[in-house]
Amino acid sequence: MSQTTDPTQRSPRRSQPTRMSGLALACTLAAGAALATPAIAFAGDGDRGREGRPRTDVVVQQALDRLVAEHGVPAALANVTDRRGRERDLVAGVGDLATGAPVPVDGQVRAGSNSKTFVAAVVLQLVGEGRVDLDASVETYLPGLVRGPVDGHDITVRDLLQHTSGIGSFTDGPPFVVDGVPALRALKDRYMEPHELVALGLALPPTPPGAWSYSNTNYVLAGLLVQKVTGRPLAEAVTERIIEPLDLTDTYVPDRGERAIRGAHPNGHHAEPIGSALFEHTDIDTSSSWAAGDVVTTPGDLSTFFRALLAGEVLRPAELEQMKATVPMDLPGIPETWRYGLGLQSTELSCGELAWGHGGIIPGYQTDGGVTEDGRAIMVATTTAHFALPTDTGVAVSDEVLALVDTALCSGRS
């Protein structure tokens, strides 16, 4: 089943009451082919926009419905924003498989690795304030912490944010992977300290110096750097510098040991071993991702954040330019047009424009999307990570979502 919000215009800085009441694996690295969908308009009468083409929100709703009906995703949510700042929230599926409860419109989800962009933005604000130098060594700010095959004297703050440090990702070894198989269910209620995550990452074989290699350990180190420079907890820095100024009323960093999601949300689902039956996996201790992926948000808030970031409302021009200076994501299976900056990814759309964003995976949820330079945006969340689905199904879901992002953003140019 599906539902949509009232299709009236809404402000991108909507004011809503706060709804009261992860273990980030990687950014979205699956390649998808664009759907053969004609150009579509956002606004219009009925289900048709200009020149009789399907409205963007109608096409998005149809795609969400397919994710549920054809691919077995329990629930899917999306927020779509046009160039004029008008938003639509759409959902499909059910929020609770046990009770059949509906999906909360713009419900809270775990953002996974989208959290990295929040952390990178805080570091770059500190750069703008003259408190951090991107090209200074990690040793300058975290003396004695990075030792082993990779030494803190030899890598920079930029290397951390850009994933060129050579430090292994703590999620690639025990206890996250046992005998070559993900072992994430056992970590659901386990509390882990950031320094423990760093030690796990440093114990893994390094990657070639200067080569791009995605590592969650980089962002745990970036979070520790923020705490060392500011003298305050990372969660406080993210909240006071990003969440509160942008009025992201449904976004928060979980407290120490907090496992439940605070506001209205669809349940998350996981499968272990991969491809087996899905089980409910909502309440988890995200200390095992910390700065690499613990933020809770909504598709609408996530869209607001990325649009504000690209519009220059979060960083000064010099620091935003640094954030958008990208390098190739040079790994097998990743399209050549995908590039990574400082906690920010660019993707070339089929219409030739760039979409900016990140993507996030955490057991129970996955978020994908993009924002264009003129403020068009789409954010899509599913209540299971695509990697947990059977291989063919996971690929199909990834292809469908990435094609939807491309179609929605390219259609709104006129």
Side-chain angles (χ1 to χ4, degrees):
M1 79 184 203
S2 64
Q3 70 184 70
T4 65
T5 57
D6 189 325
T8 56
Q9 179 174 335
R10 294 201 307 150
S11 165
R13 292 293 182 270
R14 60 198 183 282
S15 179
Q16 301 177 349
T18 302
R19 299 185 182 109
M20 298 303 293
S21 54
L23 181 32
L25 294 181
C27 59
T28 305
L29 300 180
L35 287 175
T37 304
I40 43 183
F42 191 90
D45 295 328
D47 288 348
R48 297 281 164 174
R50 290 187 292 272
E51 302 178 8
R53 297 166 178 163
R55 254 181 23 198
T56 300
D57 52 344
V58 172
V59 172
V60 173
Q61 184 65 65
Q62 292 170 345
L64 299 186
D65 291 340
R66 285 195 299 273
L67 291 175
V68 173
E70 298 180 15
H71 302 306
V73 172
L77 306 83
N79 175 274
V80 187
T81 308
D82 71 0
R83 320 193 289 171
R84 295 162 59 183
R86 296 175 302 176
E87 294 183 68
R88 304 291 188 275
D89 292 310
L90 306 105
V91 301
V94 293
D96 186 327
L97 290 177
T99 66
V103 183
V105 174
D106 200 32
Q108 289 180 331
V109 296
R110 298 193 187 277
S113 288
N114 289 292
S115 307
K116 292 178 173 67
T117 315
F118 286 76
V119 173
V122 172
V123 173
L124 287 164
Q125 286 184 354
L126 295 172
V127 170
E129 295 164 11
R131 302 170 70 182
V132 172
D133 180 349
L134 278 174
D135 295 312
S137 71
V138 171
E139 181 74 12
T140 302
Y141 304 101
L142 300 171
L145 181 58
V146 180
R147 291 289 185 271
V150 179
D151 191 285
H153 290 92
D154 301 326
I155 58 174
T156 66
V157 177
R158 187 188 304 274
D159 287 326
L160 296 181
L161 300 185
Q162 194 171 247
H163 294 301
T164 51
S165 71
I167 299 173
S169 179
F170 62 83
T171 50
D172 289 344
F176 298 85
V177 177
V178 177
D179 296 328
V181 178
L184 307 174
R185 187 174 191 172
L187 301 177
K188 180 176 184 289
D189 298 315
R190 176 171 171 175
Y191 178 79
M192 302 181 77
E193 290 283 356
H195 285 79
E196 182 180 358
L197 303 177
V198 171
L200 291 171
L202 291 173
L204 296 173
T207 55
W212 188 88
S213 183
Y214 192 86
S215 174
N216 288 302
T217 314
N218 288 326
Y219 274 79
V220 174
L221 287 165
L224 290 171
L225 181 151
V226 169
Q227 293 191 154
K228 187 66 176 290
V229 171
T230 63
R232 301 299 304 162
L234 175 64
E236 181 179 300
V238 171
T239 300
E240 294 184 353
R241 288 173 171 269
I242 309 294
I243 295 173
E244 291 178 347
L246 296 180
D247 193 28
L248 305 180
T249 55
D250 289 316
T251 300
Y252 67 93
V253 181
D255 292 333
R256 184 184 178 99
E258 183 177 9
R259 286 171 283 185
I261 295 178
R262 297 176 188 175
H265 62 275
N267 285 345
H269 300 85
H270 183 49
E272 205 168 292
I274 291 171
S276 61
L278 292 173
F279 54 84
E280 191 268 326
H281 193 76
T282 307
D283 296 350
I284 61 176
D285 189 326
T286 53
S287 62
S288 52
S289 61
W290 196 54
D294 65 354
V295 169
V296 174
T297 188
T298 68
D301 271 7
L302 199 58
S303 176
T304 296
F305 167 61
F306 278 106
R307 285 186 288 121
L309 180 64
L310 269 293
E313 298 175 25
V314 177
L315 299 174
R316 301 187 316 177
E319 283 69 58
L320 181 57
E321 183 178 355
Q322 293 278 2
M323 191 179 217
K324 294 168 67 178
T326 58
V327 298
M329 297 167 65
D330 190 16
L331 288 177
I334 299 179
E336 293 181 0
T337 58
W338 289 29
R339 298 178 64 89
Y340 202 92
L342 305 184
L344 188 66
Q345 179 185 328
S346 69
T347 304
E348 185 174 326
L349 300 170
S350 62
C351 52
E353 291 189 69
L354 288 182
W356 294 91
H358 198 284
I361 302 173
I362 194 166
Y365 300 92
Q366 181 156 340
T367 49
D368 299 280
V371 177
T372 61
E373 295 283 358
D374 66 357
R376 285 171 284 133
I378 179 171
M379 293 293 162
V380 180
T382 55
T383 58
T384 185
H386 306 172
F387 78 87
L389 299 169
T391 302
D392 290 347
T393 302
V395 170
V397 171
S398 292
D399 286 352
E400 181 99 28
V401 171
L402 293 172
L404 173 59
V405 171
D406 185 279
T407 300
L409 294 178
C410 285
S411 69
R413 291 184 300 157
S414 58

